[in-house]
């Protein structure tokens, strides 16, 4: 086996890069952790090349031990980067030294793939009956067309992976051709041999590196489903997101609508289904009387309603068992999955587990929603994720306030009985004080709840004009982003379109980011997904604007429960929860500026509390070490000089098609057969997907015409845990319009921590 130094040097050379001290230090630390079994937290600043620093020792270990290494990321963008760009180059570079080509694959959840059995009619149609619409009249609206298109695509796709479908389809249509893990018939499915999921997982069994996401990895660890092959090395990239992703994975809810739906699905196969429906009606009457907010205990009437739901669903569970000698069919399995979920969730709330937080929220569309989530996942992560394997956690933002302690505590690496671990900050190759300026506009009025002050809009205009565009604006809400977009478009009219202002929601995020990166005379304003994961190196992004400090909502059930618990133990709940949350988001947002060694620019904070508040020092220490100033004239002059001397923007690639393993189609791995065999001599060019179709109207609800991009924004918001009221505020649309569109898409507004601003 070649040495780690030899392998890393070959990989760096293959990428036409140069040796970076931080990358070398990280790679050696990862290899040492693998050898010793001691867990590792690595803060690796932008430009370190951290993916190469863990992929090379991961490949080395996989080939040496004969077991795969698993890499889990939070975002699809990083998964795509690893599989489309990093691993193909690593494989090319290491093959001559290793004697064979390293292999890799993506593993995703079942709902991400087409279900062959459902396509053949093995499951009942969803309530909307979209197959009927599509079969009877292909012109009967966009939803019907989507289903017909999915059927046609099913005959062409090799992977069945939803991400391969460009442009995509609505969630409502996708559910017609996919099933959840609980709805799947598993090995008893008559089409298991044709199953896209089973084929992809079979293809992944023999590879060296498996790429997945935090949620899938967590479910595999917590529930012991063995969806991932046996492994003893786990790398968690974007580790600053792990706690939120794990919490969302194990957050449950009960709603009257869920009960009615489950009773309806079970109705033809269980005599007691009407009792479940009655229990749902009783639960609804009880929930409607409970005010919104966190519950300090379970009220007697709620406990009675949940007990009735638990007992009736248990009776239906018995009735849904298939007769002796008879296999479970699709309709029965769908009903069992819905009933099982209700029984599990009602039982969990009634258990009143020590760390569970229970709260009621009011949704204009769904009515009263009862939710339960763990206040802390630290011990669960310690016991299930850090057990029996070496875990390497890495991110550009793991040290908050100058220490790893805050992050380590949230994942079970502090306190009695915690496993051994090492924290390492390998720094960044960038000279932040020379490359970037951190500007606090201390002259502005404090941010309020009634939108940006005129002085703030004046500041944004002055900054954008000085920068000549080239601006990424990160705002507190979509309402704030849209207000700034409209105001800047109006104010910049005198430039005759020389500076364009794009806003999140006007097109798909990936399309907007590519447009922003290609045209330096462009600004991109938005929130949510723009705070992290946007990578625009070069001269197209020389100004990042952050409108205010991103504190969690004061009334957020989980954040408030965590703060109160820390205060009871004598700690500072605000600093441990709210300030830590804000520090993490600020570090991620500010990190959008400097992406390469020759990048230059300004991060502008339009919140004077970044200098004046008692917690300002903690927030500042969490940021990259830019050169700090509050001198407005100096900053405007610096932006003008950068604009005048800026080089042309960098080339921007379009998205790629994928093969069975999730690798880029047209490469050896992308064309790998189910056996996992690859042709190491394959040098065919990579196929490139066409750009997404232009935005088109998808529906009209309460007078608002929806586009595909706005539908995507809804999905993003729901995934981040926003409810209907918060989506309404964020998107600046009536709650009724939001609720109606969510219903049309078949999406339930989810639970979890929500993002708002102080």
């Amino acid at each position: 086996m070649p040495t780690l130094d030899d392998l890393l040097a070959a990989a760096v050379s293959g990428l036409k890069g140069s040796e970076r001290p931080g990358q070398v230090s990280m790679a050696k630390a990862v290899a040492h952790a693998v050898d010793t079994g001691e867990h590792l937290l690595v803060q690796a600043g932008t430009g370190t090349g951290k993916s190469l620093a863990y992929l090379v020792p991961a490949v080395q270990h996989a080939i040496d031990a004969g077991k795969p290494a698993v890499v889990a990321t939070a975002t699809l963008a990083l998964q795509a980067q690893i599989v489309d760009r990093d691993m193909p180059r690593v494989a090319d570079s290491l093959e001559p030294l290793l004697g064979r080509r390293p292999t890799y694959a993506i593993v995703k959840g079942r709902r991400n793939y087409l279900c062959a059995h459902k396509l053949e009619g093995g499951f009942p149609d969803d309530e909307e009956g979209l197959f009927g619409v599509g079969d009877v009249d292909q012109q009967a609206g966009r939803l019907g067309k989507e289903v017909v298109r999915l059927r046609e695509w099913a005959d062409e796709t090799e992977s069945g992976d939803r991400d391969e479908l460009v442009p995509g389809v609505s969630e409502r249509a996708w559910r017609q051709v996919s099933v959840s893990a609980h709805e799947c018939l598993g090995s008893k499915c008559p089409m298991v041999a044709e199953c896209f999921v089973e084929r992809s997982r079979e293809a992944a069994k023999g590879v060296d590196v498996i790429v997945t996401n935090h949620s899938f990895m967590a479910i595999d660890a917590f529930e012991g489903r063995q969806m991932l092959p046996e492994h003893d090395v786990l790398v968690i990239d974007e580790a600053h997101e792990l706690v939120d992703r794990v919490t969302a994975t194990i957050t449950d809810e009960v709603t009257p609508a869920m009960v009615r739906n489950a009773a309806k699905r079970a109705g033809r196969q269980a005599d007691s289904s009407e009792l479940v429906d009655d229990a749902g009606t009783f639960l609804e009457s009880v929930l409607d009387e409970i005010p919104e907010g966190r519950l300090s205990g379970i009220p007697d009437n709620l406990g009675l309603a949940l007990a009735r739901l638990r007992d009736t669903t248990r009776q239906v569970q018995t009735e849904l068992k298939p007769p002796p000698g008879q296999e479970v069919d699709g309709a029965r399995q769908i009903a069992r999955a819905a009933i099982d979920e209700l029984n599990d969730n009602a039982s969990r709330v009634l258990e009143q587990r020590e760390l569970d937080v229970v709260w009621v929220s009011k949704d204009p569309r769904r009515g009263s929603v009862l939710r339960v989530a763990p206040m802390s996942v630290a011990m669960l992560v310690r016991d299930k994720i850090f057990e029996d394997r070496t875990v390497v956690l890495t991110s550009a933002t793991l040290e908050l306030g100058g220490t790893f302690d805050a992050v380590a505590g949230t994942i079970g690496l502090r306190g009695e009985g915690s496993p051994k671990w090492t924290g390492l900050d390998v720094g960044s190759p960038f000279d932040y004080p020379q490359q970037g300026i951190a500007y606090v506009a201390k002259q502005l009025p404090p941010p309020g709840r009634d939108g940006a002050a005129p002085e703030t809009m004046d500041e944004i205009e002055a900054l954008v004009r000085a920068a000549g565009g080239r601006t990424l604006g990160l705002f507190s809400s979509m309402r704030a982003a849209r207000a700034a977009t409209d105001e800047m478009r109006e104010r910049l009219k005198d430039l005759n379109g020389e500076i364009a202002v794009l806003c999140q929601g006007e097109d798909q995020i990936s399309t907007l980011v590519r447009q922003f990166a290609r045209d330096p005379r462009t600004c991109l304003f938005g929130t949510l997904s723009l705070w992290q994961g946007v990578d625009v190196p070069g001269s197209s992004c020389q100004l990042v604007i952050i409108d205010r400090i991103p504190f969690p909502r004061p009334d957020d059930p989980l954040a408030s429960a965590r703060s109160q618990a820390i205060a009871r133990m004598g700690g500072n709940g605000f600093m441990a929860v709210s300030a830590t949350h804000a520090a993490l988001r600020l570090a991620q947002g500010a990190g959008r500026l400097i992406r390469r060694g020759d990048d230059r620019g300004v991060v502008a904070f339009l919140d004077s509390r970044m200098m004046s508040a008692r917690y300002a020092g903690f927030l500042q220490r969490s940021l990259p070490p830019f050169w700090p100033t509050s001198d407005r004239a100096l900053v405007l002059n610096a932006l003008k000089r950068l604009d005048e001397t800026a080089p042309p923007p960098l080339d921007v690639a379009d998205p790629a098609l994928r093969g069975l393993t999730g690798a880029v189609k047209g490469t050896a791995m992308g064309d790998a057969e189910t056996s996992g065999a690859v042709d190491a001599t394959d040098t065919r060019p990579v196929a490139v997907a066409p750009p997404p179709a232009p935005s088109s109207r998808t529906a009209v609800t309460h007078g608002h015409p929806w586009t595909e991009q706005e539908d995507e924004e809804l999905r993003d918001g729901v995934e981040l845990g926003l409810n209907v009221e918060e989506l309404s505020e964020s998107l600046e649309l009536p709650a009724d319009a939001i609720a109606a569109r969510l219903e049309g898409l078949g999406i339930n507004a989810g639970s979890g921590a929500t993002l708002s601003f102080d």
Side-chain angles (χ1 to χ4, degrees):
M1 175 69 68
T3 66
L4 176 66
D5 288 337
D6 292 339
L7 293 172
L8 186 60
V12 170
S13 176
L15 270 65
K16 296 181 172 55
S18 57
E19 181 177 293
R20 305 174 190 178
Q23 186 181 65
V24 174
S25 297
M26 178 175 173
K28 290 182 177 180
V30 172
H32 178 74
V34 171
D35 289 341
T36 62
E38 186 173 285
H39 306 302
L40 175 67
L41 274 66
V42 186
Q43 176 159 291
T46 306
T48 302
K50 63 177 168 36
S51 59
L52 205 63
Y54 62 68
L55 287 174
V56 170
V59 168
Q60 182 185 39
H61 172 75
I63 292 178
D64 184 45
K67 293 181 180 180
V70 174
V71 176
T73 75
T75 62
L76 292 174
L78 183 54
Q79 287 182 44
Q81 174 190 312
I82 293 172
V83 174
D84 297 350
R85 187 183 72 184
D86 296 338
M87 273 307 303
R89 296 177 180 180
V90 168
D92 288 340
S93 304
L94 301 189
E95 183 181 3
L97 293 178
L98 296 173
R100 73 167 177 84
R101 184 182 179 83
T103 54
Y104 51 94
I106 287 182
V107 174
K108 301 180 181 180
R110 196 168 292 273
R111 185 63 89 174
N112 291 282
Y113 297 90
L114 291 169
C115 173
H117 190 37
K118 196 165 190 178
L119 283 166
E120 294 299 319
F123 288 84
D125 295 347
D126 283 352
E127 298 300 318
E128 295 84 356
L130 293 184
F131 273 129
V133 173
D135 292 341
V136 173
D137 184 359
Q138 295 187 15
Q139 305 303 317
R142 179 172 180 269
L143 290 175
K145 292 178 184 178
E146 284 184 326
V147 175
V148 174
R149 177 167 166 248
L150 282 168
R151 281 187 168 278
E152 293 171 347
W153 177 66
D155 293 331
E156 303 168 0
T157 179
E158 180 183 349
S159 69
D161 185 344
R162 183 178 183 177
D163 286 341
E164 185 184 307
L165 186 63
V166 179
V169 296
S170 67
E171 182 69 16
R172 188 178 172 194
W174 183 255
R175 287 183 177 273
Q176 294 293 323
V177 296
S178 65
V179 296
S180 69
H182 293 294
E183 294 167 345
C184 175
L185 297 176
S187 60
K188 297 179 181 179
C189 177
M191 300 192 69
V192 66
E194 291 83 22
C195 178
F196 288 110
V197 176
E198 298 304 323
R199 290 171 60 209
S200 70
R201 293 181 185 175
E202 183 66 28
K205 282 184 177 179
V207 303
D208 300 311
V209 175
I210 294 171
V211 182
T212 187
N213 59 62
H214 290 179
S215 298
F216 189 92
M217 177 273 297
I219 292 172
D220 183 72
F222 298 162
E223 301 185 10
R225 294 191 194 172
Q226 299 181 330
M227 299 177 292
L228 292 170
E230 182 182 352
H231 60 280
D232 54 10
V233 172
L234 169 65
V235 178
I236 301 176
D237 204 340
E238 301 178 307
H240 60 277
E241 283 287 310
L242 179 63
V243 170
D244 284 346
R245 300 299 171 118
V246 169
T247 301
T249 298
I250 53 178
T251 295
D252 292 319
E253 66 179 30
V254 178
T255 70
M258 288 173 61
V259 181
R260 287 192 291 269
N261 180 59
K264 186 174 182 179
R265 291 188 180 280
R268 298 179 181 178
Q269 304 176 72
D271 295 336
S272 301
S273 60
E274 289 187 7
L275 297 177
V276 174
D277 200 15
D278 292 341
T281 302
F282 179 40
L283 175 67
E284 185 171 28
S285 66
V286 171
L287 287 176
D288 287 347
E289 296 299 319
I290 299 176
E292 188 170 30
R294 183 157 62 100
L295 302 179
S296 57
I298 305 299
D300 291 343
N301 56 350
L302 178 58
L304 180 62
L306 289 171
R308 183 179 298 181
L309 179 62
R310 177 198 59 196
D311 295 342
T312 55
T313 51
R314 184 183 299 155
Q315 186 173 344
V316 172
Q317 284 176 318
T318 301
E319 295 177 14
L320 286 175
K321 292 180 179 179
Q326 181 178 326
E327 297 291 349
V328 178
D329 59 20
R332 187 179 294 267
Q333 185 64 22
I334 291 283
R336 289 178 67 180
I339 292 293
D340 288 349
E341 182 180 16
L342 279 178
N343 184 268
D344 291 343
N345 295 357
S347 299
R348 176 181 175 182
V349 176
L350 286 169
E351 286 177 25
Q352 300 188 62
R353 300 173 188 171
E354 182 181 1
L355 291 177
D356 269 354
V357 177
V358 180
W359 72 97
V360 174
S361 60
K362 305 294 182 179
D363 188 307
R365 179 177 62 90
R366 304 169 68 203
S368 298
V369 180
L370 181 67
R371 294 192 170 103
V372 56
M375 179 175 63
S376 169
V377 295
M379 296 307 296
L380 186 63
V381 171
R382 176 195 291 187
D383 294 341
K384 298 295 186 179
I385 292 180
F386 287 102
E387 189 77 17
D388 298 328
R389 54 184 165 185
T390 303
V391 182
V392 175
L393 300 102
T394 185
S395 168
T397 49
L398 285 182
E399 273 193 312
L400 299 178
T403 175
F404 287 101
D405 289 349
V407 171
T410 63
I411 55 177
L413 293 183
R414 296 185 67 193
E416 184 179 354
S418 60
K420 291 185 64 176
W421 61 280
T422 299
L424 173 67
D425 182 357
V426 299
S428 170
F430 302 151
D431 188 348
Y432 282 110
Q434 292 295 318
Q435 291 183 245
I437 296 174
Y439 165 58
V440 177
K442 68 175 184 179
Q443 76 281 2
L444 295 179
R449 296 184 179 275
D450 298 326
E455 297 92 334
T456 300
M457 290 297 184
D458 293 341
E459 189 75 6
I460 294 174
E461 179 188 1
L463 291 166
V464 168
R465 284 182 181 272
R470 312 179 190 275
T471 302
L472 178 65
L474 305 176
F475 290 86
S476 55
S477 67
M478 278 307 303
R479 178 172 58 185
R482 284 185 173 139
T485 299
D486 293 342
E487 187 74 14
M488 291 307 109
R489 285 172 177 169
E490 182 65 29
R491 292 184 179 218
L492 299 176
K493 278 185 176 179
D494 62 297
L495 299 179
N496 297 317
E498 181 180 339
I499 295 179
V501 183
L502 307 176
C503 188
Q504 185 176 350
E506 295 175 341
D507 208 323
Q508 297 183 71
I509 290 292
S510 57
T511 303
L512 288 170
V513 171
R514 285 195 295 271
Q515 187 175 345
F516 172 60
R518 284 172 174 152
D519 184 0
R521 298 298 177 196
T522 300
C523 304
L524 175 58
F525 292 172
T527 185
L528 298 177
S529 51
L530 292 188
W531 278 80
Q532 58 184 7
V534 174
D535 186 11
V536 181
S539 61
S540 292
C541 183
Q542 295 187 335
L543 171 62
V544 173
I545 293 175
I546 296 176
D547 71 335
R548 61 174 66 190
I549 299 172
F551 289 118
R553 291 173 57 93
D555 60 349
D556 177 78
L558 287 176
S560 61
R562 290 165 180 163
S563 294
Q564 292 171 15
I566 291 169
R568 285 195 299 270
M569 294 185 291
N572 187 322
F574 172 80
M575 291 301 297
V577 178
S578 297
T580 296
H581 179 280
L584 178 59
R585 295 300 179 200
L586 286 171
Q588 285 290 314
R592 300 310 98 202
L593 181 67
I594 304 299
R595 312 301 295 177
R596 302 198 324 171
D598 56 356
D599 284 348
R600 302 288 187 274
V602 173
V603 178
F605 301 94
L606 309 186
D607 190 334
S608 58
R609 293 174 297 177
M610 285 294 296
M611 290 185 66
S612 61
R614 58 183 172 80
Y615 48 79
F618 175 79
L619 299 180
Q620 292 167 10
R621 289 192 299 273
S622 302
L623 298 173
F626 299 118
W627 188 77
T629 186
S630 58
D631 188 329
R632 184 174 188 264
L634 182 151
V635 167
L636 295 178
N637 287 331
L639 287 170
K640 289 175 183 177
R641 289 195 302 271
L642 287 172
D643 179 44
E644 292 166 357
T645 60
L650 302 175
D651 292 336
V652 179
D654 284 318
L657 292 174
R658 302 187 184 281
L660 180 61
T661 61
V664 173
K665 199 167 183 179
T667 65
M669 278 304 302
D671 292 337
E673 298 295 333
T674 302
S675 64
V678 297
D679 176 9
T681 65
D682 188 348
T683 57
R684 289 173 291 171
V686 174
V688 178
S695 174
S696 59
R697 182 177 297 185
T698 60
V700 177
T701 63
H702 293 266
H704 177 72
W706 291 85
T707 66
E708 294 177 10
Q709 291 69 41
E710 288 176 318
D711 289 347
E712 181 185 15
E713 287 306 305
L714 279 182
R715 295 189 187 98
D716 286 345
V718 170
E719 183 176 348
L720 286 170
L722 302 185
N723 60 32
V724 171
E725 295 94 330
E726 292 160 342
L727 288 168
S728 174
E729 179 181 354
S730 176
L731 297 174
E732 202 181 10
L733 289 172
D736 289 345
I738 296 281
R741 187 59 188 139
L742 286 170
E743 184 174 9
L745 292 171
I747 300 175
N748 290 331
S751 58
T754 54
L755 183 67
S756 184
F757 295 80
D758 179 48

